[in-house]
Amino acid sequence: DSGVTQTPKHLITATGQRVTLRCSPRSGDLSVYWYQQSLDQGLQFLIQYYNGEERAKGNILERFSAQQFPDLHSELNLSSLELGDSALYFCASSPRRSGQGVDEQYFGPGTRLTVT
Amino acid sequence: AQKITQTQPGMFVQEKEAVTLDCTYDTSDPSYGLFWYKQPSSGEMIFLIYQGSYDQQNATEGRYSLNFQKARKSANLVISASQLGDSAMYFCAMREPGTALIFGKGTTLSVSS
């Protein structure tokens, strides 16, 4: 158990809908990262938050957005869903308090999103 | 630009044998970290081992060791005494300071009895 929690574990929804994925980082970790794993794109970085502020953006679509709340949990919002958004979405947290440096990231169990 | 290459789509090994999973990387930043993660069929990503670019010694964690050859830009994972439970997808990844992880495409390891 990495200490990172994600809910829900599975989500099935229809095209055009909107969903919210939730992540709680490990105790004391200020950085949260979101990744998408799909069969055709592999594992891709979406977005990073550090202590409530957006720190970096990767290959995140405009239909997707995220935020990190004062209690440090984070939510990833996916809207106008398409079939191609079906993927495993991971949240990871990082122990380094500065948000900088090269340290390990611990992953949550992931949310498997299926868009039908 | 950062890049991670895993050239072995699949590897097969018998129980109790050692296996090496290859990983090469590319970066222009002198400060970086290299990571290996294991992803079993259940889907979770399990952190295995970390090597910093300035570390003089190769990292080891139990049966896992990282064969770090800086000049060749390689960071191969060695699993000693393979077990059936080692069957999984293995990802090599890299980070530069303050950035997110960049992953390779992964290697599927199958351990047979």
Side-chain angles (χ1 to χ4, degrees):
Chain A
D1 186 346
S2 67
V4 179
T5 60
Q6 286 187 252
T7 55
K9 196 167 175 62
H10 299 278
L11 199 47
I12 301 173
T13 190
T15 54
Q17 295 297 306
R18 173 190 170 92
V19 297
T20 297
L21 313 183
R22 183 188 167 102
C23 166
S24 292
R26 294 179 349 142
S27 177
D29 288 357
L30 300 180
S31 276
V32 168
Y33 301 77
W34 285 97
Y35 294 87
Q36 178 195 57
Q37 185 179 28
S38 61
L39 284 174
D40 53 344
Q41 298 289 333
L43 267 158
Q44 289 196 102
F45 165 64
L46 295 178
I47 196 163
Q48 177 201 357
Y49 279 82
Y50 174 73
N51 202 20
E53 292 191 5
E54 183 184 301
R55 180 62 69 93
K57 264 187 173 178
N59 297 321
I60 188 165
L61 299 172
E62 284 190 15
R63 300 183 286 109
F64 297 179
S65 65
Q67 51 185 327
Q68 186 178 27
F69 295 86
D71 68 351
L72 300 178
H73 92 270
S74 179
E75 294 181 356
L76 179 67
N77 301 296
L78 314 177
S79 61
S80 303
L81 285 167
E82 302 175 0
L83 295 177
D85 297 328
S86 296
L88 191 50
Y89 290 84
F90 287 107
C91 163
S93 74
S94 188
R96 191 173 290 269
R97 290 190 172 270
S98 70
Q100 298 294 322
V102 184
D103 48 343
E104 62 269 27
Q105 292 182 11
Y106 293 91
F107 281 69
T111 293
R112 189 170 295 278
L113 174 66
T114 303
V115 182
T116 61
Chain B
Q2 303 173 68
K3 188 177 177 183
I4 290 281
T5 303
Q6 293 179 258
T7 57
Q8 306 155 314
M11 289 287 284
F12 297 87
V13 68
Q14 289 213 305
E15 263 188 305
K16 300 177 187 174
E17 291 183 352
V19 62
T20 298
L21 306 184
D22 294 343
C23 173
T24 58
Y25 61 92
D26 193 19
T27 178
S28 56
D29 196 314
S31 177
Y32 53 89
L34 296 156
F35 306 80
W36 279 91
Y37 286 85
K38 172 184 178 181
Q39 186 176 38
S41 57
S42 52
E44 70 266 37
M45 292 287 285
I46 302 167
F47 167 70
L48 295 178
I49 197 166
Y50 162 77
Q51 178 87 41
S53 59
Y54 296 117
D55 294 344
Q56 296 296 314
Q57 307 259 14
N58 285 344
T60 60
E61 288 286 347
R63 293 185 300 110
Y64 304 108
S65 60
L66 199 152
N67 184 1
F68 181 44
Q69 297 187 44
K70 196 168 182 176
R72 298 178 64 181
K73 293 190 174 179
S74 77
N76 298 339
L77 177 70
V78 181
I79 305 175
S80 63
S82 297
Q83 301 172 356
L84 294 177
D86 294 333
S87 293
M89 177 80 88
Y90 289 80
F91 290 96
C92 180
M94 179 176 69
R95 286 185 71 192
E96 294 170 356
T99 68
L101 287 164
I102 303 294
F103 287 87
K105 292 191 183 300
T107 296
T108 301
L109 177 65
S110 299
V111 182
S112 59
S113 55

